[in-house]
């Protein structure tokens, strides 16, 4: 697939070549015998479960970790990368999963921040604009350079990050889980952008664990497992399940399959719920929902159509009009803690911002919101032994990969952080679970575990309101799907009679109503 | 810069993955602080040398005078108000609240408590307890203004508490001059009414160490239990660590702001009690010491808002203060003590920031690495 440079050189002509990379941390080995061959002008996917060593490897390539052994060859030249500065000098750029943009700056200011063109301390904005026009042309994109970043959507912010890297002269781009934060159409746009980029001669290394995406967009695939590279393959030569087997050594999980039936009792009843945002705009308009025991009601919708406000209003985190009842108890005006006590549990949208205290230990995190359960109380004090024991239970039952419960939360991978948040929500046997993107950004194995737990809790009587951008997950798990568009519930669909593509049309507001 | 680098490699050598994250943090914090103090002494030595003084002379004077038994007791006495004010500041810090208003809170509390103490006659233990409680209520009351402004109007507590310090001074002066001042002919050192014996806290060692030191240790112990062991403290720290996650978990930020600010103000109310109940037996504009509110911020910072750290930092500052007179005699300007205190704070903050950052990176790497290799150790 080498396109731009002289392809005749074959094996010698590689954008990135890593040989026998080994990276140890005090007392342990994070990467060993890692070999990677990336041809220039290609999209190269690196897949593997969370904790397989992908991030460590990318940090080695981006100069954030210096390997103990092995060689890095960039465009045929041996390189020693001691810092991201070295990597940038070698033409390597990194687009992080979590954006690092200053909200109050414009697109232009964000892009040039840290490498402003100009001389004697005067920034040459005009020169920056000219260069950025070229870069935007190569991406086949058009952004208003003077718009403040706070006005941009997630997909656009990501493009700003990509432009930032290109502005620094990178020709080899590393993208760490770039699709984790995007909705389906943004993913398509991203892939189109990446395709333009490689057609222009750049090289993209793309970390993912979403197999469909990887098969769809990449030219070559390297699979990692347990700290080492286990296979290099082409998307034409392997299918989804084959790739999954390489990654986890087991079969691909499916969200579907239930043996129990939906119960009769309504556990969560929402009537005429309306939410106004700070500017006074109605962001949720008269939502009516009922979730029965042993039922999962899915909420489909393009992000920003009121799902976040619906959930925060249900949890009492936002003022709202309307009625919220759990098991017949009116909670419309109850504070958040009383809703918890009444049996509501919540998996929040952003696990790091709303779900975890990153600098605190796991046991403190699993105690968050549960500290007034009798088993953790010792008069006014906390029974730490119980809290730690409960944390260990969650870690074990939900297979959170961590050395122990005293490890701080920031040390866990995203998937394991999510499993912890899910575990904390489910462990107290709630009546109603509000689950926002429960498997976003986590790998196949963790996804299967989370699905299993949600299904298991459902089968024993839990009512689940599921918000997800993963349409397969919505269709597979839900018993009913409600579509949210512009703050209203515009359709109620039977998941057995709808395809992801049709659901997508409902989400954009093209169709409304009932499909049965 | 090069010092920071050596520390970092030193850190990697001293700490091993087999130690728990908590042990590693402890070793790094204690080691880092000691290193920072030594570094500060070195920087001061250079400064002394530049001004033509002999640093060794100055330091040996400090050690000689400071380690005298009487001086050591005086050190503890000087540390007492610092422990209170630093603890008051630390309660706020735990919730990411910067109570810059300890100064106003304790002076207001001192005036009210001294005056209220002179109104009643009670048996000794009751009288003292009554005054201490009045002081805590008065401190909390003054702090409640900033608490309510923050909780209901979103007014930043740094702004409001700084402003309230000035307002407190004016209010105190007005109350004192108009109502509470005791007129004694020919006495320029004006005070509130002198408190009777029943309202006095005796010295543990006569003239050197007052009983308030024990109260300070008690307050620190209560602070520790409250913050690190109680459910309230857990919620307080959760709000401080991540306000969004805490409110998602049902912890009302407004509630926490008000309670933590009130506790902070109540502890602040005790700052001047050693003076009111143990030294001057009254409140007076020249008798009651000032500036402890600001010194408390520095001590809390130096002690990393940890109870043990605060006690150690307060004693260190008390030690340096107690030697400043002797330095004057040894022909070293005693302002070097203030400079030294300031440099120690700066170096401790910088070194700690560097070690904690490095430590966090290490902890994350170790955890990940342990898992990627299937959980060695």
């Amino acid at each position: 697939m080498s396109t731009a440079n002289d392809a005749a050189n074959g094996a010698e002509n590689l954008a990135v070549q890593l040989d026998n990379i080994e990276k140890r941390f005090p007392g342990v080995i994070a990467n060993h015998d890692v070999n990677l061959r990336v041809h220039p002008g290609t999209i190269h996917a690196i897949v593997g479960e969370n904790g397989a060593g992908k991030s460590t490897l990318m940090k080695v390539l981006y100069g954030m970790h210096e390997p103990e052994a092995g060689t890095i060859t960039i465009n045929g030249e041996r390189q020693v990368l001691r810092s991201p500065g070295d990597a940038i000098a070698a033409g390597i750029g990194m687009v992080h999963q979590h954006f690092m943009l200053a909200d109050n700056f414009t697109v232009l200011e964000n892009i040039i921040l840290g490498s402003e063109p100009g001389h004697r301390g005067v920034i040459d904005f005009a020169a920056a604009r000219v260069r950025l026009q070229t870069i935007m042309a190569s991406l086949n994109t058009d952004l208003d350079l003077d718009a403040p970043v706070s006005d941009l959507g997630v997909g656009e912010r990501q493009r700003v990050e990509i432009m930032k890297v290109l502005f620094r002269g990178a020709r080899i781009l590393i993208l760490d889980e770039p699709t984790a934060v995007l909705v389906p159409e943004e993913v398509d746009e991203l892939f189109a952008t990446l395709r333009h980029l490689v057609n222009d001669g750049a090289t993209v290394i793309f970390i993912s664990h979403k197999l469909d995406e990887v098969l769809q967009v990449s030219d070559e695939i390297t699979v990692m497992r347990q700290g080492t590279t286990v296979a290099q393959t082409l998307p034409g030569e392997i299918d989804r399940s084959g790739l999954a087997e390489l990654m986890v050594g087991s079969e691909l999980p499916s969200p579907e399959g239930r043996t129990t039936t939906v119960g009769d009792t309504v556990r969560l009843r929402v009537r005429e719920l309306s939410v106004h945002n700070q500017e006074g705009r109605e962001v949720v308009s008269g939502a009516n929902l009922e979730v029965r025991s042993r039922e999962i009601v899915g909420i489909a919708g393009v992000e920003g159509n009121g799902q976040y406000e619906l959930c925060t209003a249900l949890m009492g985190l936002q003022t709202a009009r309307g009625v919220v009842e759990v098991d017949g108890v009116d909670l419309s005006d109850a504070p958040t803690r009383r809703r918890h006590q009444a049996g509501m549990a919540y998996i929040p949208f952003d696990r790091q911002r709303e779900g975890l205290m990153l600098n605190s230990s796991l046991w403190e995190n699993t105690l968050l919101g549960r500290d007034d359960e009798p088993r953790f109380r010792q008069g006014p004090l906390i029974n730490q032994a119980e809290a730690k024991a409960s944390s260990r239970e969650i870690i074990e039952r939900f297979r959170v990969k961590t050395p122990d419960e005293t490890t701080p939360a920031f040390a866990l991978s995203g998937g394991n952080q999510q499993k912890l948040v899910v575990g904390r929500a489910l462990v107290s046997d709630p009546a109603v679970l509000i689950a926002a993107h429960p498997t976003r950004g986590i790998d196949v194995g963790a996804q299967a575990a989370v699905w299993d737990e949600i299904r298991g809790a459902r089968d024993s009587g839990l009512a689940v309101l599921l918000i997800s951008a993963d349409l397969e997950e919505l269709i597979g798990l839900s018993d009913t799907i409600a579509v949210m568009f512009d703050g209203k519930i515009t359709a109620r669909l039977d998941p057995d009679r709808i395809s992801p593509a049709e659901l997508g049309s409902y989400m954009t507001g093209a169709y409304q109503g009932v499909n049965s | 810069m090069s010092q920071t680098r050596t520390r970092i490699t030193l850190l990697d050598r001293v700490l091993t993955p087999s130690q728990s994250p908590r042990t590693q943090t402890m070793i790094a914090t204690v080691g880092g602080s000691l290193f920072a103090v030594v570094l500060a002494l070195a920087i001061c030595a250079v400064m002394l040398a530049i001004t033509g003084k002999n640093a060794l002379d100055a330091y040996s004077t400090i050690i000689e005078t400071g380690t005298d038994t009487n001086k050591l007791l005086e050190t503890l006495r000087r540390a007492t108000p610092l422990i209170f004010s630093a603890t008051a500041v630390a309660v706020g810090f735990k919730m990411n609240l910067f109570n810059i208003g300890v100064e106003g809170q304790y002076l207001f509390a001192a005036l009210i408590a001294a005056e209220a103490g002179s109104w009643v006659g009670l048996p000794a233990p009751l009288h003292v307890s009554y005054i201490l409680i009045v002081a805590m209520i008065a401190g909390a009351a003054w702090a409640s203004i900033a608490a309510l402004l923050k909780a209901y109007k979103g007014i930043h507590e740094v702004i409001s508490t700084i402003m309230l310090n000035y307002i407190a001074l004016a209010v105190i002066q007005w109350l004192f001059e108009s109502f509470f001042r005791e007129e004694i002919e020919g006495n320029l050192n004006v005070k509130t009414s002198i408190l009777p014996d029943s309202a006095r806290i005796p010295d543990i060692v006569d003239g050197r160490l007052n009983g308030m030191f024990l109260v300070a240790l008690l307050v620190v112990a209560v602070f520790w239990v409250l913050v690190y062991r109680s459910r309230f403290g857990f919620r307080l720290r959760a709000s401080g660590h991540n306000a969004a996650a805490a409110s998602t978990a049902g912890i009302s930020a407004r509630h926490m702001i008000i309670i933590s600010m009130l506790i902070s103000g109540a502890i602040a109310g005790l700052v001047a009690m050693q003076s009111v109940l143990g030294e001057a037996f009254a409140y007076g504009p020249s008798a009651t010491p000032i500036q402890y509110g600001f010194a408390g911020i520095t001590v809390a910072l130096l002690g990393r808002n940890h109870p043990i750290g605060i006690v150690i930092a307060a004693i260190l500052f008390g030690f340096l203060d107690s030697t400043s007179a002797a330095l004057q005699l040894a022909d070293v300007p005693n302002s070097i003590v203030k400079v030294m205190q300031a440099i120690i704070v700066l170096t401790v903050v910088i070194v700690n920031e560097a070690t904690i950052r490095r430590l966090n990176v290490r902890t994350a790497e170790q955890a990940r690495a342990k898992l990627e290799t299937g959980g060695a150790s």
Side-chain angles (χ1 to χ4, degrees):
Chain A
M1 283 304 283
S2 45
T3 50
N5 302 6
D6 38 340
N9 287 357
E12 296 305 303
N13 177 27
L14 290 169
V16 176
Q17 181 178 351
L18 302 182
D19 288 297
N20 302 316
I21 292 287
E22 179 169 321
K23 174 65 200 164
R24 280 190 301 258
F25 293 113
V28 274
I29 306 165
N31 271 173
H32 60 97
D33 300 320
V34 168
N35 295 293
L36 182 66
R37 274 160 186 57
V38 180
H39 292 97
T42 62
I43 299 179
H44 192 107
I46 296 182
V47 298
E49 285 203 279
N50 285 328
K54 293 172 301 197
S55 295
T56 306
L57 178 61
M58 288 306 109
K59 284 180 181 163
V60 166
L61 186 52
Y62 191 53
M64 293 163 84
H65 294 324
E66 210 179 324
E68 270 77 23
T71 58
I72 300 172
T73 314
I74 307 297
N75 295 321
E77 268 180 64
R78 277 284 292 276
Q79 298 276 359
V80 177
L81 306 174
R82 289 208 174 81
S83 69
D86 290 349
I88 291 167
I92 301 170
M94 174 110 143
V95 178
H96 294 274
Q97 186 178 359
H98 298 282
F99 305 149
M100 301 175 179
L101 298 173
D103 265 5
N104 52 344
F105 275 18
T106 64
V107 170
L108 178 71
E109 288 165 338
N110 264 294
I111 291 174
I112 65 173
L113 187 64
S115 57
E116 301 87 351
H119 53 97
R120 289 201 212 130
V122 182
I123 299 174
D124 188 350
F125 283 106
R129 267 174 213 281
V130 172
R131 265 177 69 196
L132 282 173
Q133 292 302 340
T134 327
I135 289 172
M136 286 204 285
S138 79
L139 292 171
N140 193 28
T141 186
D142 193 20
L143 275 178
D144 178 3
L145 293 178
D146 297 314
V149 161
S150 53
D151 288 358
L152 302 187
V154 178
E156 289 170 317
R157 284 176 195 230
Q158 189 172 51
R159 240 169 296 152
V160 174
E161 285 279 4
I162 294 173
M163 285 163 68
K164 217 165 111 179
V165 169
L166 294 173
F167 188 76
R168 282 155 181 71
R171 300 301 288 157
I172 299 168
L173 274 78
I174 305 169
L175 286 92
D176 187 4
E177 307 260 358
T179 61
V181 290
L182 301 180
V183 296
E185 66 230 55
E186 286 173 332
V187 171
D188 292 340
E189 283 172 28
L190 170 70
F191 288 167
T193 304
L194 295 184
R195 191 45 72 189
H196 268 281
L197 210 56
V198 294
N199 288 344
D200 210 50
T203 305
V204 171
I205 299 175
F206 157 69
I207 302 179
S208 184
H209 51 246
K210 291 189 183 164
L211 305 180
D212 291 329
E213 278 171 21
V214 166
L215 291 168
Q216 179 195 338
V217 75
S218 60
D219 300 313
E220 281 181 301
I221 304 169
T222 294
V223 184
M224 287 193 79
R225 189 168 71 217
Q226 293 185 347
T228 187
T229 44
V230 291
Q232 175 152 5
T233 178
L234 300 172
E237 292 175 355
I238 195 159
D239 64 358
R240 196 180 145 94
S241 57
L243 206 51
E245 257 169 58
L246 280 176
M247 259 169 77
V248 294
S250 67
E251 281 194 13
L252 203 61
S254 145
E256 285 173 65
R258 73 172 301 175
T259 49
T260 54
T261 52
V262 173
D264 296 325
T265 43
V266 176
R267 303 204 83 172
L268 173 69
R269 189 193 304 273
V270 180
R271 276 199 307 256
E272 292 300 320
L273 188 82
S274 296
V275 179
H276 291 262
N277 68 3
Q278 283 179 332
E279 288 87 51
R281 200 167 65 82
E282 196 170 55
V283 283
V284 178
S285 316
N288 288 298
L289 283 168
E290 279 183 1
V291 189
R292 285 157 213 284
S293 67
R294 297 198 299 277
E295 183 181 34
I296 298 178
V297 172
I299 302 272
V302 177
E303 211 150 320
N305 274 283
Q307 302 94 319
Y308 179 77
E309 290 81 3
L310 173 69
C311 293
T312 48
L314 288 178
M315 292 312 298
L317 297 164
Q318 185 152 26
T319 45
R321 278 203 311 266
V323 179
V324 179
E325 281 176 16
V326 169
D327 286 337
V329 179
D330 185 0
L331 296 172
S332 311
D333 300 313
T336 306
R337 189 161 284 267
R338 268 211 27 231
R339 297 183 196 223
H340 280 286
Q341 286 159 349
M344 294 182 83
Y346 182 36
I347 299 171
F349 282 75
D350 183 335
R351 58 176 167 264
Q352 296 203 338
R353 205 179 69 76
E354 299 160 296
L356 294 168
M357 304 177 287
L358 289 175
N359 281 314
S360 301
S361 62
L362 297 187
W363 73 263
E364 287 175 298
N365 273 287
T366 52
L367 186 64
L368 188 62
R370 302 167 63 220
D371 55 302
D372 47 12
E373 286 178 23
R375 68 182 284 205
F376 303 122
R377 294 168 77 145
Q378 214 166 44
L381 303 188
I382 284 170
N383 185 338
Q384 289 202 0
E386 267 301 307
K388 286 177 183 166
S390 161
S391 193
R392 280 193 298 271
E393 279 165 33
I394 292 174
I395 288 166
E396 208 165 299
R397 180 173 144 197
F398 294 85
R399 277 167 282 167
V400 179
K401 284 191 194 165
T402 172
D404 56 38
E405 77 280 4
T406 62
T407 304
F410 68 77
L412 263 57
S413 65
N416 284 302
Q417 288 177 349
Q418 183 69 7
K419 282 192 271 185
L420 194 81
V421 170
V422 172
R424 179 178 67 198
L426 287 179
V427 77
S428 303
D429 288 328
V432 173
L433 172 70
I434 311 221
H437 306 290
T439 64
R440 173 143 78 180
I442 68 178
D443 61 61
V444 200
Q447 191 175 40
V450 169
W451 284 339
D452 277 347
E453 287 296 339
I454 291 179
R455 276 189 301 238
R458 172 205 63 195
D459 289 344
S460 52
L462 180 73
V464 182
L465 190 67
L466 171 72
I467 290 85
S468 181
D470 178 344
L471 303 187
E472 308 245 346
E473 174 177 81
L474 265 182
I475 292 173
L477 278 182
S478 306
D479 299 301
T480 311
I481 293 178
V483 179
M484 263 192 108
F485 180 71
D486 197 21
K488 298 181 188 68
I489 291 176
T490 52
R492 282 172 208 280
L493 308 171
D494 179 352
D496 293 338
R497 297 151 161 245
I498 195 159
S499 69
E502 287 169 318
L503 185 53
S505 312
Y506 277 96
M507 284 162 61
T508 57
Y511 300 118
Q512 300 192 352
V514 181
N515 74 330
S516 43
Chain B
M1 224 20 236
S2 68
Q3 260 90 0
T4 318
R5 279 213 168 262
T6 43
R7 276 267 345 126
I8 284 167
T9 48
L10 195 67
L11 198 67
D12 289 326
R13 225 170 293 150
V14 173
L15 304 175
T16 65
S18 59
Q19 295 154 338
S20 78
R22 209 170 144 214
T23 320
Q24 292 190 20
T25 310
M26 218 172 69
I27 295 174
T29 311
V30 172
S33 302
L34 285 178
F35 171 80
V37 170
V38 172
L39 183 64
L41 292 178
I43 294 173
C44 284
V46 172
M47 286 178 54
L48 285 167
I50 289 171
T51 55
K53 310 286 177 193
N54 188 334
L56 280 181
D57 281 356
Y59 290 164
S60 62
T61 308
I62 288 179
I63 303 277
E64 267 169 42
T65 55
T67 52
D68 171 71
T69 316
N70 285 336
K71 278 283 179 199
L72 281 177
L73 292 171
E74 196 186 319
T75 291
L76 298 182
R77 190 172 60 80
R78 286 176 187 268
T80 304
L82 287 173
I83 294 175
F84 286 120
S85 68
T87 308
V89 171
V91 171
F93 270 136
K94 287 291 167 202
M95 158 85 213
N96 276 348
L97 285 175
F98 295 81
N99 182 5
I100 316 288
V102 170
E103 184 77 13
Q105 289 149 21
Y106 90 76
L107 288 172
F108 179 74
L111 172 70
I112 300 295
E115 180 63 21
S118 66
W119 293 343
V120 296
L122 288 166
L126 279 180
H127 204 166
V128 167
S129 314
Y130 157 77
I131 294 175
L132 292 180
I133 289 167
V134 170
M136 292 174 79
I137 291 172
W142 195 257
S144 72
I145 303 172
L148 296 174
L149 285 174
K150 168 93 177 178
Y152 290 96
K153 292 287 164 202
I155 294 166
H156 201 284
E157 73 284 358
V158 168
I159 309 289
S160 62
T161 52
I162 289 176
M163 304 282 215
L164 280 162
N165 280 340
Y166 292 103
I167 298 173
L169 292 181
V171 168
I172 290 165
Q173 194 187 5
W174 167 66
L175 287 175
F176 180 74
E177 295 295 342
S178 318
F179 307 108
F180 300 157
R181 179 175 160 172
E182 181 90 328
E183 298 291 350
I184 301 171
E185 281 300 316
N187 191 348
L188 290 176
N189 187 9
V190 286
K191 293 177 178 175
T192 54
S193 318
I194 299 295
L195 293 168
D197 281 348
S198 62
R200 297 181 179 186
I201 292 186
D203 283 351
I204 301 169
V205 177
D206 214 19
R208 301 284 176 193
L209 180 62
N210 186 263
M212 269 315 269
F213 179 68
L214 299 180
V215 180
L217 292 185
L218 179 72
V219 165
V220 167
V222 170
F223 169 75
W224 183 83
V225 173
L226 186 75
V227 168
Y228 295 96
R229 285 290 179 270
S230 77
R231 275 186 298 138
F232 165 74
F234 177 70
R235 292 177 189 183
L236 184 76
R237 285 182 294 126
S239 289
H241 280 316
N242 184 347
S247 63
T248 303
I251 300 167
S252 155
R254 181 175 284 176
H255 208 142
M256 286 295 133
I257 287 169
I258 294 175
I259 298 182
S260 59
M261 205 64 186
L262 291 183
I263 293 178
S264 177
I267 298 173
L270 299 173
V271 170
M273 286 303 107
Q274 182 168 266
S275 161
V276 171
L277 303 181
E279 292 162 3
F281 309 116
Y283 170 88
S286 54
T288 306
I290 58 166
Q291 296 290 328
Y292 275 119
F294 304 115
I297 299 171
T298 336
V299 172
L301 216 54
L302 187 59
R304 298 202 63 79
N305 301 311
H306 191 278
I308 296 171
I310 285 172
V311 172
I312 294 172
I315 290 175
L316 175 66
F317 270 44
F319 175 80
L320 291 173
D321 279 339
S322 73
T323 60
S324 71
L327 278 179
Q328 194 79 23
L329 296 176
D331 196 28
V332 176
N334 62 356
S335 51
I336 194 71
V337 165
K338 290 282 165 219
V339 174
M340 213 183 285
Q341 288 177 343
I343 292 178
I344 288 174
V345 170
L346 281 178
T347 53
V348 167
V349 168
I350 292 167
V351 168
N352 266 320
E353 199 56 39
T355 44
I356 293 295
R357 258 183 217 184
R358 176 74 199 135
L359 203 62
N360 283 349
V361 172
R362 278 176 50 93
T363 312
E365 282 172 355
Q366 282 173 11
R368 244 165 246 151
K370 274 181 195 175
L371 296 171
E372 288 188 2
T373 50
S377 122

